[in-house]
Amino acid sequence: MPTMNPYAITVVGGAGIVGREFLKILDERETPVGRLRLLATKRSAGSTVEFRGSTITIEETSPESFAGDDDVVFLSASGEASRQYAPLARDRGALVIDDSSAFRMDPEVPLVIPEVNADALSWHNGIVSQPNCTTTPMVMALYPIHRENPLRRIVVSTYQAVAGAGGAGVEGLRTETTAALAGRHEPSGTQKREIAFNAVPQVDDFREDASTKEETKMANETRKILDAPDLAVSATCVRIPTFFGHAMAIWAEFERPVDPAEAREAIATMPGVRVVDEPDGERYPTPVDAAGNDDVLVGRIRADSSCPGAIALWAVTDSIRKGAATNVVQIIEEADQRGLVGPGSGR
C-alpha cells in the first residue's frame, strides 16, 4: 500500500468498545496519525487512553468540538449523536465516517465495504456510512458469486454476540453468567431478555410488520451495497451468549444454478474472506475462531436441498473488528489512495 498521509483524526465515542478497537487497529496497521482526539459523553470525559506512547484525555462532545481542524471524524455513537454532529464536522471540512444507522439509507451517502464497493466513495459529499455488523460478512461471503451470477433471494439467520450491544453487553453477559452458575436469575438489562444460557430472537426494536429494525437493516443495506433494489432478503436476527463473533446461516439463490464446489472456489478468491470448510475433518469456523480476527470466515458450503441450484453456507466475523472498526480504517485508507480526504481532496 502506498504511504498514507498522517491525518488529524477525531473519534466520537472514543471511550466505547468500537472506539478503543479502532485505536488498536490503527496501531496494528501502522496507520500514520498526525493528531488524535477522543470525544465521548460527559460521563466518560476526563478518563484517559494510551496511544503510541502518549496519554490522551477524553473530552466531552459538543458542537464546539468541531472547529475545522479535522481531516477525518469517526462517529461511533448513537444515531442521535450522528445526526447532530456529522453535518457539523462535514461542513467544517472533515471526511465523516459514521458507524450508526443514521445515514445508511440516505441516497446522498455511500454505504461502503471497501472490498465490495470502494468506487462508491467517489461520490461522497463529506459523509460515508458503514454497514451493520451483520450485513458486512454476509455481503462479503456472497459478493464473489453475485458479481458473476446475480443474487435473486437470501434467507439468513444470525447468531449475534453481545459485543454488538457494546461494552455494557459484554459486562452484562459476564455478570448474568456468574449469577446463573450460582442458581440465580439476575437480568442485567443489557439485552431485551436475560442472555446467559439463552437465545433471544430480538435484536433492536420491532417494526409494524413484526420484523425487527436489525432484520430490516440487513435487507435494505444489502440491496444498497449491491445495487440490487429488487433482491429478496429475509432475515431473523438472534442474540446468543457469546462475547465476540457474529455468526450466520445463509441460504442464497442466484439467477443461474450454483454448484457448491463452484461457490467454494469463488468465495476463496474474495479479499478479506477465508474459507474454512472441511467436513471430513469436521473443520468449520465458530465465533471463537473469529474473535480478534479481521477475516470473514466461511464454511459449511453445500447445496440447498430445498431449492435446486441454490447454496447454503455459514459465515462468522468479529463484529467489533471487520464488522465495525477495521472497516472504518479500510475506508480511510481507500479514501486516502483516491485523494478523497484532507487538503486538496476537492470537496
Side-chain angles (χ1 to χ4, degrees), residues 10-13 61 66 73-78 81-87 89 96-100 103 127 130 328:
T10 290
V11 182
V12 179
T61 315
F66 309 97
V73 171
F74 169 35
L75 280 154
S76 180
S78 66
S82 292
R83 284 185 285 272
Q84 179 181 2
Y85 297 123
V96 177
I97 305 172
D98 185 45
D99 190 33
S100 79
F103 301 100
I127 300 175
Q130 75 157 359
V328 172

Side-chain angles (χ1 to χ4, degrees), residues 30-43:
E30 299 182 349
T31 304
V33 178
R35 186 269 293 151
L36 180 66
R37 183 171 54 189
L38 305 179
L39 307 176
T41 61
K42 184 176 182 178
R43 181 182 61 186

Side-chain angles (χ1 to χ4, degrees), residues 138 140-146 149 151-156 249-267 277 298-314:
M138 182 176 74
M140 288 182 65
L142 295 175
Y143 177 69
I145 305 171
H146 168 79
N149 183 3
L151 280 155
R152 293 180 56 184
R153 182 171 181 255
I154 303 170
V155 178
V156 58
I250 304 166
W251 294 263
E253 181 183 0
F254 300 82
E255 287 191 358
R256 301 185 305 278
V258 176
D259 177 79
E262 173 192 355
R264 189 176 293 106
E265 182 178 350
I267 294 168
D277 189 21
V298 178
R300 300 295 320 278
I301 303 167
R302 61 202 189 277
D304 179 353
S305 59
S306 72
C307 182
I311 59 167
L313 56 87
W314 171 259

Side-chain angles (χ1 to χ4, degrees), residues 107-118:
E108 300 299 317
V109 175
L111 181 62
V112 176
I113 303 171
E115 296 92 338
V116 175
N117 66 332

Side-chain angles (χ1 to χ4, degrees), residues 39-346:
L39 307 176
T41 61
K42 184 176 182 178
R43 181 182 61 186
S44 298
S47 58
T48 60
V49 173
E50 296 297 316
F51 181 73
R52 294 181 179 170
S54 297
T55 300
I56 301 174
T57 301
I58 296 175
E59 306 167 40
E60 182 180 358
T61 315
S62 72
E64 289 69 40
S65 300
F66 309 97
D69 58 347
D70 295 310
D71 294 311
V72 176
V73 171
F74 169 35
L75 280 154
S76 180
S78 66
E80 180 182 356
S82 292
R83 284 185 285 272
Q84 179 181 2
Y85 297 123
L88 281 175
R90 174 201 60 198
D91 292 347
R92 293 170 187 174
L95 169 64
V96 177
I97 305 172
D98 185 45
D99 190 33
S100 79
S101 61
F103 301 100
R104 287 178 186 155
M105 298 314 299
D106 186 327
E108 300 299 317
V109 175
L111 181 62
V112 176
I113 303 171
E115 296 92 338
V116 175
N117 66 332
D119 285 348
L121 286 169
S122 64
W123 52 269
H124 86 76
N125 293 309
I127 300 175
V128 175
S129 193
Q130 75 157 359
N132 183 279
C133 50
T134 50
T135 304
T136 295
M138 182 176 74
V139 170
M140 288 182 65
L142 295 175
Y143 177 69
I145 305 171
H146 168 79
R147 64 188 170 194
E148 303 295 336
N149 183 3
L151 280 155
R152 293 180 56 184
R153 182 171 181 255
I154 303 170
V155 178
V156 58
S157 293
T158 71
Y159 308 87
Q160 298 178 216
V162 295
V170 173
E171 185 58 30
L173 174 57
R174 185 175 288 116
T175 59
E176 286 187 21
T177 301
T178 300
L181 290 171
R184 304 190 306 272
H185 290 281
E186 296 180 359
S188 62
T190 60
Q191 307 298 328
K192 297 297 184 180
R193 297 278 292 274
E194 186 175 359
I195 188 64
F197 302 100
N198 202 7
V200 181
Q202 181 187 358
V203 181
D204 212 327
D205 296 329
F206 281 106
R207 294 164 47 88
E208 290 183 2
D209 64 358
S211 64
T212 65
K213 289 182 179 178
E214 184 88 348
E215 292 157 358
T216 301
K217 289 174 196 173
M218 286 194 75
N220 290 338
E221 292 172 19
T222 298
R223 295 183 187 112
K224 181 174 179 177
I225 294 164
L226 296 178
D227 192 21
D230 298 323
L231 176 61
V233 183
S234 177
T236 300
C237 294
V238 183
R239 188 78 74 191
I240 63 170
T242 52
F243 286 110
F244 298 94
H246 286 358
M248 57 194 67
I250 304 166
W251 294 263
E253 181 183 0
F254 300 82
E255 287 191 358
R256 301 185 305 278
V258 176
D259 177 79
E262 173 192 355
R264 189 176 293 106
E265 182 178 350
I267 294 168
T269 67
M270 179 69 182
V273 175
R274 180 155 52 93
V275 174
V276 183
D277 189 21
E278 297 178 14
D280 291 345
E282 297 185 356
R283 291 193 68 238
Y284 42 78
T286 69
V288 169
D289 302 315
N293 198 317
D294 282 330
D295 288 337
V296 176
L297 308 178
V298 178
R300 300 295 320 278
I301 303 167
R302 61 202 189 277
D304 179 353
S305 59
S306 72
C307 182
I311 59 167
L313 56 87
W314 171 259
V316 187
T317 196
D318 187 323
S319 62
I320 304 302
R321 290 185 67 95
K322 182 55 184 174
T326 301
N327 200 66
V328 172
V329 175
Q330 290 175 311
I331 288 172
I332 296 170
E333 293 170 347
E334 187 69 35
D336 173 77
Q337 289 184 50
R338 294 166 180 258
L340 298 173
V341 57
S345 63

